[in-house]
Amino acid sequence: MEQEKPLILVTNDDGITAPGIRALIKLMTTIGEVYVVAPDSPQSGMGHAITVNNTLYCDKVVIEKDAPQQEYSCSGTPVDCVKLATREILPKKPDLCVSGINHGSNSAINVIYSGTMSAAVEAGIEGIPAIGFSLLDYAMDANFVPGESFIKKIVENVLQNGLPKGVVLNVNIPKLKKDEIKGIKICRQANAHWFEEFDKRTNPMGREYYWLSGKFINEDKGEDTDEWALKNGFISVVPTHFDLTAHHFIQELNNWSLHD
Amino acid sequence: MEQEKPLILVTNDDGITAPGIRALIKLMTTIGEVYVVAPDSPQSGMGHAITVNNTLYCDKVVIEKDAPQQEYSCSGTPVDCVKLATREILPKKPDLCVSGINHGSNSAINVIYSGTMSAAVEAGIEGIPAIGFSLLDYAMDANFVPGESFIKKIVENVLQNGLPKGVVLNVNIPKLKKDEIKGIKICRQANAHWFEEFDKRTNPMGREYYWLSGKFINEDKGEDTDEWALKNGFISVVPTHFDLTAHHFIQELNNWSLHD
């Protein structure tokens, strides 16, 4: 008897036509039955934004003729896509949600700004095993091939082992040739941050405006971080959760004079 | 010799004219020198979104005549406001960032969707002690007075004790009269989620669209959670951090067959 194929939801934040999601869809159709629900336009930096004060459109689309997957293009954020997919579009709760492959890193603190990872986290909140994939290459013609066998291995492991409640995986892939990738390393999120630099300009009407840019600064010297792994040729896998409680600080807070 | 007043940055996600931020500004001017950098329009549900593909405007404004605070209205998200404030507007690194008072709860999983809390988290990433305040009342004419003495007490404690690197506070205030509030309780984030319900409609051009809505579901029976505290008449204080690593799962992941 043939085993039923796993139902896989694919989404991203670069938009449904981005090369990164096309590569991920192609790979997932070799593993399961694939539904794609992804933003109709780039949503980078959207974090865990949801659309509360506006309407959401979601249309069935055909991006590749005769492809096995079903695809839906959505006007909302990556998190909206996951919510719409699970509640309105998918025939049942998916066995897995994969998000990406993002064009650019979501390591370290980037996880918090990332639409790619927020989509995976949203799936995790809904109890669906979920993984965000990112390649450290912002280029539109980035080469996703070297990472593919590793992505497949990680996906198969998650389908086999499951993930504990409240945990999703943040996977980053270095920009290397396949034989240069040293393997997969389980890591913690590096304690790094962005140092903002605003580019101040004047518009044609004489009004000043800014462009946000910045430098990424990693002061975390640990060799167990995602930054270290990526710099040393490894694919980083960070188990990521959404209980933001700083449990270690609860006891000390109880000693503050808040209770008189 | 007079001690220098602390420099306090005030922001929010409901927009610079919302009653909640006006109440918080008024309270903070009794404690320190206040700068306001807040969104020019409501940004609820924006999570940790940043503006990467668009321009940012930020204008000095006067909302209340002869008020002691300096105020700037910004076209971006709450996180953009904090980045702009610290890099372009404030004379020096602030001693404190307060965000809110939000019209509506940011307890439990709401912390992850909340622009109010994301602004506080962003300040925390930049090494600034930060607190997000929310009142469990979505009404525009919500009564912020009952919580004021508690907000002041929390702020004074943070200014005196500081906060450890990487920790900010998520404060939620129940919708009660002052003498009904039982006090302040240090809590963990309840393990709750939203069950989405999409309202499907047809626009005047015949195209289908959705409104996102949902039911909040708390299956966490713990008496150490923010949900429990709020239901039982307490103000909840959850220490919140932005290391999303699920440290407890690293060891098990190392046992997976990812390394052959």
Side-chain angles (χ1 to χ4, degrees):
Chain A
M1 209 173 72
E2 206 190 355
Q3 220 186 336
E4 210 183 332
K5 278 178 151 189
L7 182 63
I8 302 176
L9 168 63
V10 184
T11 190
N12 77 340
D13 76 349
D14 291 318
I16 196 162
T17 59
I21 195 173
R22 304 320 304 172
L24 189 57
I25 294 165
K26 210 173 153 195
L27 203 55
M28 290 306 107
T29 57
T30 69
I31 298 174
E33 184 191 353
V34 172
Y35 276 72
V36 182
V37 183
D40 60 11
S41 60
Q43 296 279 330
S44 291
M46 282 308 281
H48 214 91
I50 49 173
T51 303
V52 286
N53 289 318
N54 213 337
T55 54
L56 281 171
Y57 289 91
C58 192
D59 299 303
K60 194 157 193 225
V61 292
V62 176
I63 313 271
E64 298 159 276
K65 224 185 135 195
D66 299 326
Q69 69 273 9
Q70 301 223 43
E71 302 207 35
Y72 294 80
S73 172
C74 173
S75 65
T77 67
V79 172
D80 291 331
C81 288
V82 173
K83 287 181 184 286
L84 264 169
T86 54
R87 289 294 294 156
E88 294 286 330
I89 295 165
L90 267 58
K92 63 184 180 85
K93 187 172 171 175
D95 300 293
L96 179 72
C97 171
V98 290
S99 180
I101 307 167
N102 191 59
H103 292 244
S105 171
N106 280 318
S107 63
I109 195 65
N110 297 309
V111 64
I112 219 165
Y113 303 101
S114 159
T116 302
M117 275 308 297
S118 291
V121 166
E122 179 62 30
I125 292 171
E126 299 183 22
I128 302 158
I131 318 166
F133 293 103
S134 307
L135 175 67
L136 271 63
D137 188 348
Y138 285 96
M140 260 302 132
D141 65 348
N143 183 9
F144 294 98
V145 176
E148 284 182 352
S149 63
F150 298 96
I151 291 174
K152 210 167 163 178
K153 190 182 278 185
I154 294 166
V155 164
E156 284 166 350
N157 264 270
V158 168
L159 284 170
Q160 193 182 326
N161 301 320
L163 283 170
K165 203 170 175 240
V167 175
V168 303
L169 301 184
N170 181 15
V171 178
N172 281 273
I173 302 164
K175 184 187 169 183
L176 293 172
K177 291 181 192 144
K178 190 173 172 190
D179 59 7
E180 293 169 338
I181 298 178
K182 288 192 189 142
I184 294 168
K185 208 167 153 42
I186 313 301
C187 310
R188 65 173 173 86
Q189 172 187 326
N191 182 12
H193 67 281
W194 285 87
F195 184 78
E196 276 73 34
E197 286 165 340
F198 284 95
D199 186 350
K200 197 173 184 175
R201 302 186 183 183
T202 306
N203 79 6
M205 284 72 74
R207 191 172 167 206
E208 285 183 335
Y209 68 96
Y210 298 91
W211 285 105
L212 169 61
S213 69
K215 268 202 295 266
F216 183 73
I217 295 171
N218 179 21
E219 288 168 332
D220 190 332
K221 305 294 181 215
E223 299 195 352
D224 55 347
T225 70
D226 48 4
E227 285 301 310
W228 187 94
L230 291 161
K231 276 219 173 60
N232 288 275
F234 291 93
I235 288 172
S236 66
V237 176
V238 177
T240 298
H241 66 170
F242 38 86
D243 173 8
L244 307 192
T245 311
H247 291 277
H248 64 283
F249 192 54
I250 285 182
Q251 199 175 341
E252 189 173 328
L253 267 182
N254 272 316
N255 294 329
W256 284 18
S257 55
L258 292 168
H259 308 291
D260 22 287
Chain B
M1 207 174 74
E2 204 191 353
Q3 220 187 336
E4 210 183 332
K5 278 178 150 187
L7 183 63
I8 302 176
L9 169 63
V10 184
T11 191
N12 77 339
D13 76 349
D14 290 319
I16 196 162
T17 59
I21 195 172
R22 306 317 306 172
L24 189 56
I25 294 165
K26 209 172 153 196
L27 203 55
M28 290 306 108
T29 58
T30 68
I31 297 175
E33 185 192 352
V34 172
Y35 276 71
V36 182
V37 184
D40 61 10
S41 60
Q43 296 279 329
S44 291
M46 280 307 279
H48 214 91
I50 49 173
T51 302
V52 285
N53 289 318
N54 213 335
T55 55
L56 281 171
Y57 289 92
C58 192
D59 300 304
K60 195 158 192 222
V61 291
V62 175
I63 312 272
E64 298 158 276
K65 223 184 136 199
D66 301 325
Q69 69 274 7
Q70 302 223 43
E71 302 207 35
Y72 294 80
S73 172
C74 173
S75 64
T77 67
V79 172
D80 292 331
C81 288
V82 173
K83 287 181 185 286
L84 264 170
T86 54
R87 290 291 295 155
E88 295 286 330
I89 294 164
L90 267 56
K92 61 183 181 87
K93 188 172 169 176
D95 301 293
L96 179 72
C97 171
V98 289
S99 181
I101 305 167
N102 191 60
H103 293 242
S105 171
N106 281 317
S107 62
I109 195 65
N110 297 309
V111 66
I112 220 165
Y113 303 101
S114 158
T116 302
M117 274 310 295
S118 291
V121 166
E122 179 61 30
I125 292 171
E126 299 184 21
I128 302 158
I131 318 166
F133 292 104
S134 308
L135 176 67
L136 272 62
D137 188 347
Y138 286 95
M140 261 300 133
D141 65 347
N143 184 9
F144 294 98
V145 175
E148 284 182 353
S149 63
F150 297 96
I151 291 174
K152 210 168 163 177
K153 189 182 278 184
I154 293 166
V155 164
E156 284 165 350
N157 266 269
V158 168
L159 284 170
Q160 193 182 325
N161 302 320
L163 283 170
K165 202 170 177 242
V167 176
V168 302
L169 301 184
N170 182 15
V171 178
N172 281 274
I173 302 163
K175 183 186 171 183
L176 292 172
K177 292 182 192 141
K178 189 174 171 187
D179 59 7
E180 293 169 338
I181 298 178
K182 287 192 191 145
I184 294 169
K185 209 167 151 44
I186 314 300
C187 311
R188 64 173 173 86
Q189 172 188 325
N191 182 13
H193 67 280
W194 285 87
F195 184 76
E196 276 72 35
E197 286 165 341
F198 286 94
D199 186 350
K200 197 174 185 176
R201 300 185 184 185
T202 306
N203 79 6
M205 284 72 74
R207 191 173 166 204
E208 285 183 336
Y209 67 96
Y210 297 91
W211 286 105
L212 170 60
S213 68
K215 267 201 297 264
F216 183 73
I217 295 170
N218 180 22
E219 288 169 332
D220 190 332
K221 304 292 181 216
E223 299 194 353
D224 55 348
T225 70
D226 49 4
E227 285 302 311
W228 187 94
L230 292 161
K231 277 219 173 59
N232 287 276
F234 291 93
I235 289 173
S236 66
V237 175
V238 177
T240 298
H241 66 169
F242 38 87
D243 173 8
L244 307 191
T245 311
H247 291 277
H248 64 282
F249 192 55
I250 285 182
Q251 200 177 338
E252 189 173 329
L253 267 183
N254 272 315
N255 295 329
W256 284 18
S257 55
L258 292 169
H259 308 291
D260 22 285

